[in-house]
Amino acid sequence: MYNFLLVIVIILSVLIVIGIMMQPSKQNSAASAFTGGADNLFGRQKARGFEAFMQKATAYMGAVWMILLFLLAYLSSK
């Protein structure tokens, strides 16, 4: 069980990295580097299409990844 979950975590880690790299860049100008993108935080429109799908998929994969890591930690302590 532990080894199976470990393999799933490794595969999910690679998928999360790929998912993050596929998301479009949100940095539009050099000013964003200094402000940290705070100017876009409140004026930003809701994501649509591929961008929305990638944001949701990355968030869900991250949540499952964290749950699996806690489960692995629990199993390794026994």
Side-chain angles (χ1 to χ4, degrees), residues 2-19:
Y2 181 83
N3 290 333
F4 175 73
L5 289 177
L6 187 61
V7 168
I8 297 298
V9 166
I10 292 171
I11 292 170
L12 197 56
S13 299
V14 171
L15 289 175
I16 289 172
V17 169
I18 292 170

Side-chain angles (χ1 to χ4, degrees), residues 16-78:
I16 289 172
V17 169
I18 292 170
I20 290 171
M21 291 177 65
M22 287 179 62
Q23 291 184 12
S25 175
K26 294 182 177 86
Q27 298 292 339
N28 294 335
S29 65
S32 296
F34 296 113
T35 62
D39 53 343
N40 294 331
L41 181 63
F42 298 107
R44 191 171 187 290
Q45 294 181 357
K46 189 173 184 179
R48 299 183 188 274
F50 180 72
E51 184 179 355
F53 171 76
M54 289 307 297
Q55 286 178 355
K56 289 179 185 176
T58 305
Y60 288 135
M61 286 190 295
V64 170
W65 184 76
M66 286 297 294
I67 292 168
L68 288 176
L69 288 178
F70 284 124
L71 187 59
L72 280 174
Y74 174 75
L75 290 175
S76 68
S77 67
K78 285 192 160 201

